[in-house]
């Protein structure tokens, strides 16, 4: 995800029909080619007038500590956050069938939440608690502790403290044309295509001595 201006949409690592029946090709196409790609275009257009920020990656832009008028800095942070969140969401999925969580991440989930089913229930409850739009995250810190977190809009966890392992997009554009108002149904099927192998790698790489 370490990019800088001009940003470019990342290609999906699977075909548009590869996530069926969890995600339909129409839903995925709209989400990736229209919503996400539009954020990339808008961020590039906004940054074009500020060459002093062209070398910054998404994580730096998200922090929003820019010497610009507040409304412009906030818009840059919003768009950068939208790109970061979508890239994590898209690359965190893979075609089924997939292996369940295993190794150190499975142990961390069992140790904190008791079981994968108990973890999923808490994750769904977190998704349903969001007022408006946002994401549900599973993050880890440098000590290996894991945390369920919610964010509104395109806010991210503090990326200096936490490493996101995966994120569920609860904006309606991610699921409404397929699942309508059934957020829980969407979330349950999303777990069918969650790439636990990649999440496990991110968990291991985030840990520090």
């Amino acid at each position: 995800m370490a990019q800088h201006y001009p940003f470019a949409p990342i290609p999906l690592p699977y075909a548009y029909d590869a996530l069926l029946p969890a995600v339909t090709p129409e839903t995925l196409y709209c989400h990736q080619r229209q919503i996400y790609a539009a954020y990339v275009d808008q961020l590039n257009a906004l940054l074009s007038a500020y060459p002093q920020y062209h070398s910054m990656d998404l994580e730096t832009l998200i922090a929003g500590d820019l010497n610009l008028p507040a409304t412009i800095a906030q818009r840059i942070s919003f768009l950068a956050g939208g790109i970061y969140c979508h890239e994590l969401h898209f690359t965190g999925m893979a075609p089924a069938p997939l292996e369940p969580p295993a190794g150190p991440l499975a142990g961390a989930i069992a140790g904190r939440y008791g079981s994968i089913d108990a973890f999923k229930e808490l994750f769904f409850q977190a998704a349903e608690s969001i007022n408006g739009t946002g994401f549900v995250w599973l993050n880890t810190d440098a000590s290996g502790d894991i945390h369920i977190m919610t964010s509104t809009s395109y806010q991210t966890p503090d990326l200096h403290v936490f490493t996101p392992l995966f994120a569920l997009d609860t904006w309606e554009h991610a699921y409404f044309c397929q699942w309508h108002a059934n957020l829980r149904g969407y979330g349950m099927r999303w777990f069918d295509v969650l790439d636990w192998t990649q999440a496990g790698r991110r968990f291991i790489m985030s840990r520090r001595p």
Side-chain angles (χ1 to χ4, degrees):
M1 294 185 191
Q3 302 177 338
H4 57 79
Y5 176 91
F7 295 92
I10 60 169
L12 292 178
Y14 38 76
Y16 284 109
D17 62 355
L19 303 183
L20 283 168
V23 185
T24 64
E26 295 79 11
T27 296
L28 190 55
Y29 181 89
C30 175
H31 199 177
Q32 191 252 354
R33 290 290 296 273
Q34 296 179 338
I35 305 297
Y36 159 67
Y39 290 138
V40 175
D41 290 342
Q42 291 173 48
L43 181 61
N44 284 334
L46 191 54
L47 286 176
S48 65
Y50 304 102
Q52 66 270 38
Y53 300 117
H54 286 184
S55 63
M56 289 187 175
D57 61 16
L58 288 175
E59 295 186 16
T60 306
L61 293 171
I62 287 168
D65 188 18
L66 307 177
N67 186 24
L68 290 170
T71 54
I72 297 175
Q74 290 166 5
R75 183 64 178 168
I76 289 174
S77 178
F78 172 84
L79 293 170
I83 296 169
Y84 181 95
C85 291
H86 277 110
E87 290 182 353
L88 183 66
H89 178 73
F90 292 139
T91 60
M93 298 184 291
L98 295 171
E99 293 297 323
L105 178 56
I109 290 174
R112 185 169 182 88
Y113 302 109
S115 68
I116 185 62
D117 288 336
F119 161 72
K120 287 181 179 180
E121 178 59 30
L122 289 172
F123 199 85
F124 294 147
Q125 290 177 16
E128 292 168 338
S129 75
I130 297 173
N131 292 319
T133 57
F135 283 73
V136 188
W137 309 75
L138 182 66
N139 305 315
T140 187
D141 57 31
S143 65
D145 292 331
I146 56 175
H147 314 267
I148 295 173
M149 173 190 156
T150 62
S151 65
T152 56
S153 188
Y154 289 129
Q155 294 176 334
T156 68
D158 185 341
L159 300 176
H160 298 294
V161 177
F162 298 107
T163 297
L165 303 181
F166 51 77
L168 172 66
D169 188 345
T170 68
W171 286 62
E172 289 185 347
H173 64 236
Y175 67 93
F176 194 83
C177 70
Q178 180 179 355
W179 293 96
H180 303 290
N182 186 7
L183 175 60
R184 179 172 285 252
Y186 154 66
M188 291 176 65
R189 294 313 297 264
W190 173 77
F191 268 109
D192 292 341
V193 294
L194 176 60
D195 191 342
W196 285 108
T197 301
Q198 181 187 147
R201 287 196 297 264
R202 292 177 67 85
F203 178 69
I204 292 171
M205 292 176 61
S206 71
R207 300 177 72 176
R208 303 184 190 121

